[in-house]
Amino acid sequence: KAGVTQTPRYLIKTRGQQVTLSCSPISGHRSVSWYQQTPGQGLQFLFEYFSETQRNKGNFPGRFSGRQFSNSRSEMNVSTLELGDSALYLCASSLGVLQTGYTFGSGTRLTVV
Amino acid sequence: AQKVTQAQTEISVVEKEDVTLDCVYETRDTTYYLFWYKQPPSGELVFLIRRNSFDEQNEISGRYSWNFQKSTSSFNFTITASQVVDSAVYFCALSETSGSRLTFGEGTQLTVNP
C-alpha cells in the first residue's frame, strides 16, 4: 500500500513568487491536512480538507490556500512568498472518521531566497 | 485552547540506557486523542501510537512503552535499552474530536550515543 506522496521534495523560490505543493494521500483516505514546520514555530496546522471541502483552518494569512480534488489529492498554494515562508511543509492523510490517525508524507522543503 | 508541552528540548543518552520523554497537555474536551510521532533526519513524521482519552491503560510495544495519566494530563514515552537508531526528534500531539487538527509539542531531540 503506497504511503502519502508529496511533490516536489525540494523547492527554491524567490521572494514575491508563488508556489504550489502537491500531496497524494493513501488510497481510500478522504482527509488531507497540511502543516508547516519551522525551527522557530515548530509544527503548525495550516488547513484540512475532507471530500473536497475545507473543514478546518489554522491561523495563517490568506496567502496560504489549498484545495482538494475528487480523487482526494490536495494542493496547497502560497502566493507572494516571503523569506519567513521557508519551511518544511508536511501533508497528512487519514480516513477522516473517528480520529483514526494521521499518516504523514516526507514533506516538501521550501526555501525562499 | 489546547496545548502540548514537551519540556525536554534535548536528551542525550548512551546506548542501552532507558530514557523517558515527557509530555503534558491541556484541553477542555473530555474526549480527545494523544499521539506520539518520531521524526528522523529524513523529515517524515512516523506514527508511533494513538491513545484516546477513555483508555488509560498503559501500552508496551517492544522496547517502547507509554504511560497515560489523566489526573496529571501527561502522556509519557519510555524507550527501554535505547539504540543508536532511536536518535530522532519525538513529538507528542493532541487532537480533539471537535476538530481534525493536531496540536504538536515542541519536540524532544533524542541522541543515543554508541
Side-chain angles (χ1 to χ4, degrees):
Chain A
K1 192 175 186 181
V4 179
T5 303
Q6 290 188 247
T7 56
R9 282 300 310 273
Y10 302 93
L11 207 49
I12 300 176
K13 288 287 188 179
T14 304
R15 255 185 316 176
Q17 287 186 314
Q18 75 165 17
V19 67
T20 299
L21 312 182
S22 178
C23 173
S24 293
I26 290 173
S27 178
H29 283 193
R30 296 164 65 189
S31 167
V32 174
S33 304
W34 289 89
Y35 292 81
Q36 182 197 63
Q37 185 177 22
T38 60
Q41 300 298 316
L43 277 155
Q44 293 189 292
F45 172 80
L46 280 156
F47 29 66
E48 187 228 2
Y49 286 86
F50 182 82
S51 294
E52 302 180 64
T53 301
Q54 187 180 86
R55 190 161 70 169
N56 211 336
K57 188 177 188 303
N59 189 26
F60 277 82
R63 300 185 297 106
F64 291 82
S65 63
R67 59 178 176 169
Q68 186 179 34
F69 302 95
S70 58
N71 61 358
S72 292
R73 189 178 72 86
S74 176
E75 290 180 348
M76 70 162 279
N77 183 275
V78 187
S79 62
T80 319
L81 284 165
E82 301 176 359
L83 295 179
D85 297 332
S86 295
L88 179 65
Y89 290 88
L90 290 161
C91 163
S93 81
S94 76
L95 288 170
V97 179
L98 296 178
Q99 303 296 330
T100 50
Y102 306 85
T103 302
F104 283 81
S106 298
T108 294
R109 186 165 294 281
L110 172 66
T111 302
V112 183
V113 297
Chain B
Q2 50 188 346
K3 184 180 179 182
V4 177
T5 301
Q6 295 178 253
Q8 305 148 308
T9 304
E10 295 182 28
I11 299 177
S12 182
V13 299
V14 177
E15 209 170 15
K16 296 185 182 177
E17 280 187 40
D18 298 347
V19 58
T20 295
L21 309 182
D22 297 334
C23 173
V24 174
Y25 63 91
E26 296 175 27
T27 178
R28 295 178 184 170
D29 277 15
T30 55
T31 302
Y32 50 88
Y33 293 81
L34 294 163
F35 301 78
W36 275 96
Y37 283 89
K38 172 182 179 180
Q39 187 176 42
S42 60
E44 181 177 353
L45 283 170
V46 178
F47 169 81
L48 295 177
I49 190 171
R50 175 179 54 112
R51 171 70 70 222
N52 73 54
S53 53
F54 295 107
D55 183 2
E56 289 193 69
Q57 187 173 10
N58 292 330
E59 182 158 338
I60 297 175
S61 176
R63 296 185 296 107
Y64 295 169
S65 62
W66 290 270
N67 180 264
F68 176 32
Q69 293 193 342
K70 284 181 76 171
S71 60
T72 56
S73 297
S74 65
F75 186 43
N76 297 334
F77 172 33
T78 297
I79 301 175
T80 302
S82 59
Q83 300 176 1
V84 173
V85 293
D86 295 328
S87 297
V89 181
Y90 290 85
F91 289 95
C92 179
L94 167 70
S95 176
E96 298 169 341
T97 52
S98 58
S100 49
R101 68 173 68 186
L102 286 170
T103 297
F104 285 89
E106 304 88 340
T108 298
Q109 170 72 61
L110 172 65
T111 302
V112 181
N113 299 296

